[in-house]
Amino acid sequence: MNVSFFSGTRFERLQGLLLWLIAAIHVAVLASLVLVLGSLTAHAQQPEPACHGTSLVDEMKAKDPAAYQRIVAEGDKVPNGKGIFWKIEKPGTATSWLLGTMHVTDPRVLKMPAGADAALTDAKTIIVESAEVLDEQKAMGSVLANPELTMFTDGTSIEKLLSKDDLALLESGLKQRGIPLAAVSRMKPWMLMAFVSLPACEMARKAKAEAFLDKRIAMDAAAAGKSVKGLETYAEQLGAMASIPTDIHLKSLVETIKLGAKMDDVFETMTDLYLSGEMGLTIPLLKQVAPDGSDDEGYAEFEELIVTKRNHLMAERAAPILSEGNVFMAVGALHLPGEEGLVELLRKQGFSVTRAN
């Protein structure tokens, strides 16, 4: 990959795609539940494909260090933008912990930061985004009970919404993953995003039912007899995605497919930022380097519905549990930073929240 990927409409596409990839990663957690994609199970018996991708952060450091320094300066302004592991304290209660996660099976992500394993072992109560992750049959029932959230139920199909050329791109992209268009044509476009944006190696691990970080935390806790509590239901999470206009989802779906193998670079960039704990760099990386004319309005809607609104809901529901002390809380890392991120919102709830790594 060369530096031209950062220029012109290429990076404008990347800006929107990184933002929507955040959502797609989250939605991919549900992929094993929506087994209209039964074809994925066929890949479970095949050798796992190698992971590819180059971090765009590393490339920028090497080829445009001045631009990278501008992004770092902007990222430094993001409240609580550094670190994914935090200590939560309140007078009279035992210490609790907050871990930012990435909803993937990548072995690098599954290795938690120093101190997190011990904190998890010692904790009495575990909080995850949705406790339904422990019971896939129950989660499937929740999804099927609200089909309008994931599927077109009015006779609409993806074939009717895309142009002939874009539909051909989608069909080709799905075919590369072993997914026939006919099997998923009534899925909402944001569901399809999960299957064309994730690297083949990640999809293969999911097909083998390997646990992503949040699920592994919940499963280990339940096996140890700990109380596992969720902050949201799958129906609520699906509803947040479904509330965003379909045309925005369609645009992101098409642009994702057009980038093809470059999506591996996008995914590696997200992973690189996560592993370095530099969550505050994510949005500045996109907004400072992207050219004028990028879809700020679309991002604002995404941020409000998928991040900010859910942050407030999580903080409100977590507060009484955290007040009991000795809790280990694990939620998506991009819910932590910012003026309306979980770290700041928990402080407003009366907790002292400090970096643990």
Side-chain angles (χ1 to χ4, degrees), residues 194-237:
F195 309 118
V196 296
S197 63
L198 293 176
C201 58
E202 178 68 20
M203 291 298 288
R205 290 191 294 260
K206 288 186 182 300
K208 295 176 183 178
E210 294 186 22
F212 52 94
L213 179 56
D214 311 59
K215 183 174 182 177
R216 176 172 290 189
I217 289 171
M219 290 174 62
D220 289 349
K226 299 178 186 290
S227 173
V228 179
K229 299 185 178 182
L231 299 176
E232 302 172 303
T233 65
Y234 275 156
E236 288 175 325
Q237 294 173 337

Side-chain angles (χ1 to χ4, degrees), residues 28-295:
V29 171
L30 299 173
S32 62
L33 306 179
V34 189
L35 289 181
V36 175
L37 296 173
S39 58
L40 285 180
T41 59
H43 294 277
Q45 306 304 320
Q46 298 177 8
E48 182 178 313
C51 296
H52 302 285
T54 301
S55 172
L56 302 177
V57 174
D58 290 339
E59 178 153 333
M60 177 166 284
K61 285 180 181 178
K63 297 189 175 181
D64 196 346
Y68 176 73
Q69 288 305 317
R70 289 194 298 271
I71 289 171
V72 169
E74 187 67 21
D76 287 342
K77 299 176 184 177
V78 177
N80 315 307
K82 295 182 182 294
I84 58 172
F85 187 41
W86 298 76
K87 180 187 292 188
I88 304 174
E89 298 172 294
K90 197 170 190 177
T93 62
T95 299
S96 293
W97 306 88
L98 172 62
L99 175 68
T101 65
M102 197 171 174
H103 307 314
V104 294
T105 61
D106 190 321
R108 296 171 296 173
V109 172
L110 295 178
K111 185 178 179 180
M112 296 189 294
D117 282 300
L120 178 59
T121 298
D122 294 341
K124 177 182 177 182
T125 303
I126 309 302
I127 297 175
V128 290
E129 288 186 26
S130 176
E132 290 175 335
V133 73
L134 289 172
D135 189 340
E136 290 199 352
Q137 287 188 338
K138 181 179 179 181
M140 171 67 93
S142 176
V143 172
L144 294 178
N146 299 275
E148 72 284 352
L149 297 179
T150 59
M151 309 287 288
F152 291 114
T153 58
D154 60 356
T156 302
S157 67
I158 200 73
E159 291 97 332
K160 297 178 181 179
L161 297 175
L162 293 177
S163 69
K164 182 178 179 180
D165 289 343
D166 288 342
L167 186 62
L169 283 173
L170 174 60
E171 187 167 17
S172 175
L174 289 172
K175 187 176 181 179
Q176 291 175 21
R177 301 299 179 91
I179 303 170
L181 176 63
V184 296
S185 64
R186 295 194 180 278
M187 273 191 176
K188 295 288 182 73
W190 56 268
M191 288 294 291
L192 296 178
M193 271 284 289
F195 309 118
V196 296
S197 63
L198 293 176
C201 58
E202 178 68 20
M203 291 298 288
R205 290 191 294 260
K206 288 186 182 300
K208 295 176 183 178
E210 294 186 22
F212 52 94
L213 179 56
D214 311 59
K215 183 174 182 177
R216 176 172 290 189
I217 289 171
M219 290 174 62
D220 289 349
K226 299 178 186 290
S227 173
V228 179
K229 299 185 178 182
L231 299 176
E232 302 172 303
T233 65
Y234 275 156
E236 288 175 325
Q237 294 173 337
L238 292 167
M241 284 299 296
S243 66
I244 294 175
T246 299
D247 60 338
I248 295 179
H249 288 302
L250 286 170
K251 178 180 177 182
S252 294
L253 175 62
V254 171
E255 294 295 349
T256 298
I257 298 168
K258 287 180 179 178
L259 279 182
K262 294 295 184 183
M263 283 305 301
D264 286 354
D265 296 330
V266 172
F267 199 91
E268 183 64 21
T269 301
M270 294 295 297
T271 305
D272 184 34
L273 291 173
Y274 174 80
L275 295 173
S276 65
E278 294 288 354
M279 303 315 299
L281 285 182
T282 305
I283 302 307
L285 170 68
L286 309 178
K287 302 195 79 170
Q288 259 192 317
V289 183
D292 293 338
S294 55
D295 192 3

